[in-house]
Amino acid sequence: MELLVINRPEWYILDRDQNVGYVSYIQDTDRVAKLATVFPIVFFVVAALISLTTMSRMVEEERGEIGTLKALGYTKIQIAGKYLVYATLATVIGAVIGMLIGFNILPKIISDMYAMMYNLPPLIIEFNIKYAMIGLLVAGTCTLGATIYSCVKELAQTPATLMRPKAPKPGKRVILEKINFIWSKLNFTHKVTVRNLFRYKKRFLMTIIGVMGCTSLIIAGFGLRDAIGYMVPSQYGNIFKYDLNISIKDSKNSKKTLENIKKNEKIEDAINLNMQSVEIVKDDNNQNIQLIVPNNVNELEKYISLKPRKNDEEKYILNDEGIILTEKLAKLLNINEGDIIRLRNADDIEVDARVYKITENYIMHYIYMSPTLYEKLYCEKPEYNTIYANTGKLDEGQEKSLGKEILNNEENVSTIGFTSDTKNIFNDVMENMNFVVWILIVAAGMLAIVVLYNLSNTNISERIRELATIKVLGFYNKEVYNYVSRETVILTIIGILFGLVGGYLLTLYIIKTCELDILMFNSQVHILSYVYGVVLTVIFATIINITTYFALKNINLIESLKSVE
């Protein structure tokens, strides 16, 4: 008989797209996929330019040998085969090393970063033949394409032309010469430097692109660290000031439980709150939102600071005019102050509330509401199921002792969480983030060194007779070095200036792409990040300039100036 009085049940059928965790994880993987399409393009473009410069220099340095082989009857394919084999071996070896890093190290770092947000099974790393072949194909296209282009360019000439030294590029008038008040104040060597900068346009562009890429990557690495590093201390220190979060079993006895908690000598102060999950009724909304209703709005400032992000002096106080929304949630759902939004709680009760203010927040989504407004909207008083408490400075052992003491003495307490535990989790993520920073710095350093080293060698090899001539005319090694390095220094400065802008834009792109829905990164790049980017780029450029000095010092004058006639 009892079964007959049971109401007919309602069925709720939900697919995976209704699961907040699943949808959030899919969105996060899409963000990583966007990064995975941008960074390879950047590095492959640079690799193509480096390959073109390297193979062009190699082929040009062996012009005499190529001309001799051609005169002896070797076909163009046979001659080019030597360089194609070299390029193929370099491509395969580099691709194997890159696959080992790409399939093993980088996925582990990214997985560890996202593990703080999701309960994920152990990462299974596998060799993806599809991506391996795509990477090998693109790398091969860059290196072999550059090799074929260089060989075809040289082999098109006759053997007699190839066996003679390549004629230097003719000098041309530059735009600066038309600006007389600047040009007239330059001495002879400075005028030659300016002409040489525009004389070798490929080296001009390559150096600027290489240095710009180096500076941009370094700034992006440190800028990303700034963005995430600012987030944790701001959220758990400036915004969330409480030290202890206590969940209550029976909200009817919350007042008594609060009084007992306050009696503990390690508790400085505490407040009752109602905390529940709600959602904003909107078609594109799948965010997990916590509604917080404090027992006393005037005491909330001791535990949570409500304020605008760009003005620490201004403080928000809950009132009956409307709710206060966190900033990232407002951005995601395109909500502005003064808008009317519909809230739905776990019991499917929907109410309309006006957005009074939008407050600074970096981790998770929150809505703050006064108890009077809650009672007005839901026609019932809030049930206080949570206690926030301040404990002052306690070490790890003291926190564990306090937690056990409260759980043992208070039957109405279900769980206890310390803010320090959450901070430690995010600090672990920051350590993983440092790996990403170092990867970007190492990649940037290798990019700068390879580009500048190749271009410096090309510059010397193309002008070997010119440099040998001025040494014979009485120039000292330091003067020859200054003559050559002055051009590199100017191009490096130009590249760094472009890199400062590129680094800022790249940082904004990475932050926007990597930022999870429940997180808000700080988009301001710290001034020290720019300083680090400039200093490290200068260090890499200085290393190459030192090697250039010894290369110029060891030029064989007789070998360089001898005639082939």
Side-chain angles (χ1 to χ4, degrees):
M1 293 296 293
E2 292 181 359
L3 294 176
L4 296 177
V5 299
I6 296 178
N7 295 329
R8 186 177 182 83
E10 294 183 7
W11 288 81
Y12 295 91
I13 301 175
L14 305 176
D15 59 12
R16 286 188 301 180
D17 292 334
Q18 301 298 318
N19 184 288
V20 175
Y22 174 81
V23 173
S24 298
Y25 187 73
I26 293 299
Q27 291 175 345
D28 297 338
T29 54
D30 288 341
R31 291 184 178 91
V32 175
K34 290 179 183 178
L35 284 179
T37 56
V38 172
F39 277 97
I41 292 174
V42 174
F43 282 106
F44 275 126
V45 168
V46 174
L49 294 174
I50 292 174
S51 299
L52 178 61
T53 304
T54 303
M55 297 311 300
S56 296
R57 180 172 62 86
M58 178 181 290
V59 173
E60 287 177 2
E61 286 181 347
E62 298 184 359
R63 282 169 54 88
E65 182 179 332
I66 292 173
T68 303
L69 293 173
K70 197 172 182 182
L72 291 174
Y74 284 86
T75 63
K76 294 181 180 180
I77 296 178
Q78 289 175 321
I79 298 172
K82 167 189 173 182
Y83 304 100
L84 291 174
V85 169
Y86 175 87
T88 302
L89 288 175
T91 302
V92 172
I93 294 172
V96 170
I97 296 174
M99 289 175 191
L100 292 175
I101 297 174
F103 285 129
N104 292 280
I105 299 176
L106 295 181
K108 183 69 169 58
I109 294 173
I110 295 173
S111 176
D112 289 344
M113 289 176 59
Y114 282 92
M116 69 171 179
M117 299 297 172
Y118 307 100
N119 291 322
L120 301 175
L123 179 66
I124 300 175
I125 297 175
E126 62 177 14
F127 181 83
N128 191 308
I129 187 66
K130 175 185 175 182
Y131 294 145
M133 293 306 298
I134 291 175
L136 185 61
L137 179 63
V138 176
T141 302
C142 293
T143 53
L144 295 178
T147 305
I148 292 172
Y149 170 80
S150 301
C151 289
V152 169
K153 182 180 176 183
E154 294 297 329
L155 290 170
Q157 302 178 51
T158 61
T161 303
L162 289 170
M163 285 187 284
R164 294 179 59 84
K166 186 178 180 180
K169 291 185 177 182
K172 297 180 180 179
R173 293 177 63 87
V174 297
I175 299 176
L176 197 60
E177 292 186 45
K178 298 179 181 179
I179 308 175
N180 189 55
F181 73 91
I182 296 178
W183 185 256
S184 61
K185 291 180 173 58
L186 299 178
N187 59 33
F188 175 76
T189 54
H190 291 163
K191 290 179 179 178
V192 173
T193 298
V194 172
R195 284 188 175 131
N196 284 336
L197 288 174
F198 294 96
R199 182 182 177 190
Y200 302 97
K201 294 182 177 61
K202 185 171 71 175
R203 183 169 63 86
F204 178 88
L205 293 175
M206 276 291 297
T207 304
I208 292 177
I209 292 173
V211 174
M212 180 184 71
C214 172
T215 308
S216 298
L217 286 173
I218 295 174
I219 293 174
F222 284 109
L224 187 58
R225 190 183 67 170
D226 291 341
I228 298 179
Y230 180 85
M231 178 181 66
V232 177
S234 295
Q235 184 71 32
Y236 297 99
N238 296 335
I239 298 174
F240 285 176
K241 302 177 182 179
Y242 65 88
D243 302 307
L244 183 59
N245 182 346
I246 303 173
S247 298
I248 301 174
K249 297 178 183 178
D250 185 5
S251 58
K252 294 179 181 179
N253 297 321
S254 60
K255 186 175 181 180
K256 181 180 178 181
T257 305
L258 177 65
E259 292 174 353
N260 293 336
I261 294 293
K262 286 184 175 181
K263 292 177 182 179
N264 192 301
E265 59 182 11
K266 294 180 182 177
I267 302 295
E268 296 180 351
D269 206 350
I271 187 175
N272 259 331
L273 306 101
N274 170 269
M275 182 176 289
Q276 58 177 292
S277 294
V278 297
E279 65 177 3
I280 296 176
V281 180
K282 211 169 186 182
D283 294 338
D284 54 351
N285 175 39
N286 51 27
Q287 305 302 322
N288 184 14
I289 308 168
Q290 293 292 320
L291 173 63
I292 295 179
V293 183
N295 181 33
N296 189 328
V297 295
N298 295 321
E299 291 186 0
L300 183 63
E301 174 62 25
K302 298 178 182 178
Y303 310 92
I304 300 176
S305 178
L306 303 179
K307 59 186 178 64
R309 178 161 52 92
K310 297 182 179 180
N311 186 1
D312 291 336
E313 300 300 325
E314 185 179 358
K315 302 294 181 183
Y316 297 151
I317 298 177
L318 287 172
N319 55 37
D320 303 337
E321 294 183 23
I323 61 175
I324 295 180
L325 209 66
T326 51
E327 186 175 348
K328 182 62 182 290
L329 180 62
K331 287 182 178 179
L332 288 173
L333 302 182
N334 193 25
I335 298 173
N336 299 309
E337 292 181 2
D339 290 353
I340 304 296
I341 61 173
R342 172 154 290 193
L343 301 177
R344 180 192 295 139
N345 63 13
D347 297 325
D348 281 342
I349 299 175
E350 296 184 5
V351 297
D352 291 331
R354 177 175 173 271
V355 178
Y356 170 58
K357 292 292 182 180
I358 294 175
T359 185
E360 179 183 20
N361 192 80
Y362 296 94
I363 300 175
M364 302 299 291
H365 304 309
Y366 297 94
I367 294 175
Y368 301 94
M369 182 185 296
S370 70
T372 306
L373 180 61
Y374 182 92
E375 187 174 353
K376 178 182 177 182
L377 294 177
Y378 288 96
C379 299
E380 63 178 9
K381 291 184 178 182
E383 297 180 353
Y384 299 109
N385 55 8
T386 304
I387 294 176
Y388 282 173
N390 290 326
T391 62
K393 293 184 179 180
L394 300 178
D395 58 30
E396 185 177 352
Q398 290 174 325
E399 288 183 346
K400 289 182 179 180
S401 175
L402 175 60
K404 290 180 181 179
E405 184 180 343
I406 294 176
L407 287 172
N408 293 333
N409 297 334
E410 297 297 329
E411 295 181 356
N412 198 30
V413 172
S414 59
T415 60
I416 289 178
F418 285 91
T419 305
S420 59
D421 294 334
T422 308
K423 290 175 67 175
N424 291 334
I425 293 174
F426 282 99
N427 287 332
D428 291 339
V429 175
M430 276 302 301
E431 291 186 10
N432 290 329
M433 196 64 238
N434 286 331
F435 283 111
V436 178
V437 174
W438 284 112
I439 287 173
L440 290 174
I441 292 174
V442 170
M446 293 176 63
L447 170 66
I449 290 174
V450 171
V451 170
L452 293 176
Y453 181 77
N454 272 287
L455 293 174
S456 296
N457 282 342
T458 303
N459 187 30
I460 294 173
S461 63
E462 286 181 345
R463 302 163 61 184
I464 189 72
R465 292 176 67 86
E466 173 193 349
L467 298 174
T469 301
I470 63 176
K471 288 187 74 172
V472 169
L473 292 175
F475 279 65
Y476 292 106
N477 288 325
K478 185 177 180 180
E479 292 175 317
V480 176
Y481 168 75
N482 290 335
Y483 173 68
V484 175
S485 66
R486 190 181 294 114
E487 301 168 17
T488 305
V489 169
I490 293 174
L491 294 178
T492 300
I493 292 173
I494 296 173
I496 288 175
L497 294 176
F498 279 107
L500 293 175
V501 179
Y504 174 74
L505 297 176
L506 183 60
T507 303
L508 290 184
Y509 174 79
I510 295 175
I511 289 174
K512 183 179 178 181
T513 305
C514 291
E515 193 176 70
L516 308 180
D517 281 352
I518 62 172
L519 301 177
M520 185 176 75
F521 293 159
N522 179 33
S523 59
Q524 294 181 347
V525 182
H526 198 278
I527 188 66
L528 279 178
S529 297
Y530 293 106
V531 174
Y532 292 149
V534 173
V535 170
L536 289 175
T537 303
V538 170
I539 290 174
F540 295 139
T542 303
I543 292 172
I544 299 304
N545 283 341
I546 292 173
T547 60
T548 302
Y549 174 80
F550 290 104
L552 292 171
K553 184 179 179 180
N554 297 326
I555 290 178
N556 190 322
L557 303 182
I558 297 176
E559 183 71 23
S560 302
L561 293 173
K562 71 178 183 180
S563 176
V564 296
E565 301 297 339

